[in-house]
Amino acid sequence: MVDAQAGSSDRIAFGTARARWVLAATALGSGMAFLDGTVVNVALPAMGEDLNAEVSGLQWIVNGYMLMLASLILLSGSLGDRLGRRRLFVVGVVWFAVASAVCAVAPNLEVMIAGRILQGIGGALLTPGSLAILQTSFQPSDRGKAVGAWSGLTSVAAAIGPFVGGALVDSGSWRMIFLLNLPLAAATVLVTLRHIPETRDEQATGKLDLTGAALATVGLAGLTFGLISAGDRGFGDSTVIAALAIGVVALAVFVEVERRSSHPMLPPGIFANVRFTGANLVTVVVYGALGTATFLVVVYLQTVLGYDALTAGAALLPMTLLMLFLSGYAGSLSERIGARIPMTVGPLFMAGGFLLMRQIEPGVGYFTVILPSVVVLGIGLVCTVAPLTATVLNSVEDHHAGIASGVNNAVARSAQLMAVAAIPLAAGITGDSYRDPAAFQDSFMTAMVISAVLAVAGAVLAYLTLADRGSRRTTPEAATTHRHCALESPPLSNSPSTSKRG
């Protein structure tokens, strides 16, 4: 095992037995997180009923995980560079598995939320590690192949997730979706320890930005708690006011700390590039809209239309398939004509998909109403995601690609976090209203309008900020790397696969 940055002679050649083991370990670890995110959404109605959870409880089941992921994912990349990428990956996998066990045996909602928060920490530790291992273990000429193979393997989790989750919920108990992670984690750790070399960046200097990470966590947690609690308590409640104030102040201090830090977790200077800033603004509104859909649509299909968990999850599969098979073409097109047009048209299609979802009501046919809305939304994602990937990476120098990827990843997750907290409240989905089909149907329609408005805002932002000015080309493996980092927990299926090119 190599206890330093691997030299060229230690790099792994693609196609060898050792390479297959490395791909197996990294794909298993990442796939475990991808699969978990998908099946949790499918299981939300069953979990809500068993745990007697109101809407705020379901929001925390989703957001407890997302909060820690958004707050810590930037820090964990630097931590792996210093302590060892394999070591941090193994710690993350084990942590994720233990947290999954906590979720599986949770006797009440409070323990479930605690388990999901712990899962988020584990996810933040293992997520950057899998791609960093590929980047540092394979020969430079084989990295694109390795990341492409990893991409294909992890895409399987996106495709089978709704079926696995739905089948487990319908045939047994939602608790099985968490127990499923235990054998996957054990296999991942075994293969990793036996076949993956340790690497670290011996030249990494400076202190870890623990202050920045803490402030980001407190800020996002304060805003999330305040917005979710406002659904039950109202904005005039002193606890809600205090939580929102703490969140705003903590994030304001975070910005100032990052501006003054010599080794910031979130380098402010990277936002000096107009295209990079524009792409991240588009990410905020587009992923905010997607965060709402991720949270609501599968629940709506089960609560209002009476779908079982398996059917509800499978209903959204066409969108994943569109992302899987067409995003490569969208990436190639954006390289030829620039990102501005696709990233303007894509969110408009997404808005159309959200508006079509307003036609989903009891008695409608899947092929006449639901499928068209899913397909239109999927086309919008295809047009948006790959050009967004390329824009983020092309806006910075190659040596900043990792930072740019991580920043956009954190932005996407934070946007989803805030959307799941705020948009149901704005739409009137509070208390146990999701259990009342009539009340939930009216609020769902409002939520889809809000999502459509956000998507249109994304189109406007893209048109105004992404005027093509001869952007650099990015490497296929870099684009694929960012794409999976940014989309581990995305659109309705939580992990659709996109292009193998940026």
Side-chain angles (χ1 to χ4, degrees), residues 165-214:
L168 290 175
V169 172
D170 291 338
S171 63
S173 169
W174 57 263
R175 297 180 186 275
M176 293 298 297
I177 69 175
F178 295 106
L179 293 176
L180 180 65
N181 292 329
L182 303 186
L184 294 177
T188 301
V189 171
L190 178 63
V191 175
T192 299
L193 293 178
R194 293 190 62 179
H195 297 284
I196 293 181
E198 180 64 282
T199 63
R200 61 168 58 87
D201 184 0
E202 299 292 355
Q203 297 180 343
T205 59
K207 297 180 180 179
L208 290 171
D209 189 8
L210 300 178
T211 301

Side-chain angles (χ1 to χ4, degrees), residues 79-465:
L79 196 62
D81 290 341
R82 288 166 170 78
L83 300 182
R85 300 176 181 101
R86 184 188 71 167
R87 177 179 300 167
L88 198 70
F89 179 69
V90 169
V91 169
V93 171
V94 173
W95 191 305
F96 194 91
V98 172
S100 297
V102 172
C103 294
V105 300
N108 53 50
L109 180 63
E110 291 74 18
V111 175
M112 169 59 68
I113 293 171
R116 289 290 285 166
I117 290 172
L118 291 173
Q119 269 194 319
I121 297 173
L125 294 176
L126 73 88
T127 295
S130 59
L131 289 165
I133 286 171
L134 295 179
Q135 183 74 8
T136 55
S137 297
F138 279 87
Q139 297 175 0
S141 60
D142 286 339
R143 287 174 186 164
K145 297 176 184 177
V147 175
W150 174 88
S151 169
L153 290 170
T154 52
S155 295
V156 174
I160 69 172
F163 296 99
V164 172
L168 290 175
V169 172
D170 291 338
S171 63
S173 169
W174 57 263
R175 297 180 186 275
M176 293 298 297
I177 69 175
F178 295 106
L179 293 176
L180 180 65
N181 292 329
L182 303 186
L184 294 177
T188 301
V189 171
L190 178 63
V191 175
T192 299
L193 293 178
R194 293 190 62 179
H195 297 284
I196 293 181
E198 180 64 282
T199 63
R200 61 168 58 87
D201 184 0
E202 299 292 355
Q203 297 180 343
T205 59
K207 297 180 180 179
L208 290 171
D209 189 8
L210 300 178
T211 301
L215 286 169
T217 303
V218 171
L220 292 174
L223 292 180
T224 302
F225 181 84
L227 290 170
I228 291 176
S229 298
D232 298 323
R233 302 168 181 250
F235 281 104
D237 182 81
S238 58
T239 302
V240 172
I241 294 173
L244 293 175
I246 290 172
V248 171
V249 171
L251 290 179
V253 175
F254 168 76
V255 172
E256 184 62 19
V257 166
E258 297 304 281
R259 190 178 70 82
R260 294 176 177 271
S261 174
S262 58
H263 293 85
M265 181 178 74
L266 181 64
I270 200 172
F271 289 98
N273 185 289
V274 174
R275 288 173 61 81
F276 181 80
T277 300
N280 280 282
L281 289 174
V282 174
T283 299
V284 169
V285 291
V286 167
Y287 276 81
L290 286 172
T292 304
T294 302
F295 179 60
L296 294 178
V297 172
V298 177
V299 178
Y300 181 83
L301 291 177
Q302 294 178 68
T303 301
V304 177
L305 270 65
Y307 282 26
D308 59 31
L310 176 59
T311 306
L316 304 174
L317 182 61
M319 185 180 62
T320 301
L321 297 178
L322 284 171
M323 296 285 286
L324 177 62
F325 292 112
L326 297 183
S327 288
Y329 297 102
S332 298
L333 178 64
S334 70
E335 288 183 351
R336 292 197 301 271
I337 68 173
R340 187 186 196 185
I341 294 176
M343 286 183 63
T344 300
V345 173
L348 294 177
F349 268 93
M350 292 174 62
F354 291 129
L355 293 178
L356 284 174
M357 286 182 175
R358 298 184 76 248
Q359 307 302 313
I360 301 175
E361 57 185 22
V364 302
Y366 174 77
F367 291 100
T368 57
V369 177
I370 300 175
L371 180 60
S373 66
V374 171
V375 168
V376 171
L377 180 57
I379 292 172
L381 289 171
V382 167
C383 294
T384 304
V385 172
L388 175 62
T389 297
T391 300
V392 167
L393 291 174
N394 288 343
S395 299
V396 300
E397 297 300 323
D398 285 338
H399 63 280
H400 285 150
I403 295 175
S405 172
V407 167
N408 189 251
N409 191 352
V411 167
R413 296 179 187 284
S414 298
Q416 290 179 302
L417 176 71
M418 292 295 102
V420 170
I423 294 179
L425 171 63
I429 304 173
T430 59
D432 60 356
S433 62
Y434 77 96
R435 295 176 181 168
D436 180 347
F440 189 25
Q441 182 176 354
D442 291 341
S443 299
F444 176 82
M445 301 305 172
T446 303
M448 292 302 99
V449 171
I450 296 173
S451 296
V453 170
L454 287 175
V456 171
V460 173
L461 285 169
Y463 185 81
L464 293 177
T465 63

